[in-house]
Amino acid sequence: VQLQASGGGLVQPGGSLRLACAFSGSAVDSYHIGWFRQAPGKEREGVAIANRDRSTRYGDSVKGRFTISRDNAKRMVYLEMNYLRLEDTAVYYCAARKNRIVLSAQLSAIHYDYWGQGTQVTVSS
């Protein structure tokens, strides 16, 4: 399984960005795919998950601002980020897992087996 994230950049507070994750190497509809982020000096944080059954899960800090979606036909997962804040600045990674896990664990990075290379998002005025 290979994942490649793209779409990062520099944006002003209140602005929007759309990240994309390209999935290859296996059947994408067998995997749960998510977005994580890591800011300097901080632990990797779960942002949003798109499970293979189309259910979604969001971290508390992004609820109502970010939207995850997946297009299995195109083998793509997207993260639409709106109303960006300074604290959203981080390297964003997409990741995939095949196993089902309990809801409370879905935003934990330790459960994901495959990772993309990351894309930098900088929110600054």
Side-chain angles (χ1 to χ4, degrees), residues 49-51 53-58 68-69 103 106:
I49 308 299
N51 290 309
D53 64 359
R54 301 287 181 165
S55 63
T56 57
R57 181 94 195 274
Y58 293 92
I68 189 170
S69 61
L103 186 65
Q106 290 180 6

Side-chain angles (χ1 to χ4, degrees), residues 69-87:
S69 61
R70 57 190 293 166
D71 184 337
N72 286 349
K74 295 182 178 179
R75 303 164 72 85
M76 297 292 294
V77 177
Y78 304 99
L79 184 68
E80 187 75 35
M81 305 187 294
N82 297 312
Y83 306 106
L84 283 160
R85 304 169 180 169
L86 297 175
E87 55 265 36

Side-chain angles (χ1 to χ4, degrees), residues 7-53:
L10 174 64
V11 62
Q12 291 186 340
S16 299
L17 273 178
R18 187 194 197 204
L19 305 184
C21 176
F23 181 102
S24 63
S26 190
V28 64
D29 53 2
S30 296
Y31 289 80
H32 312 277
I33 301 175
W35 287 96
F36 294 78
R37 66 186 182 187
Q38 190 164 20
K42 294 190 176 181
E43 292 187 358
R44 195 162 292 191
E45 173 190 17
V47 176
I49 308 299
N51 290 309
R52 62 189 180 204
D53 64 359

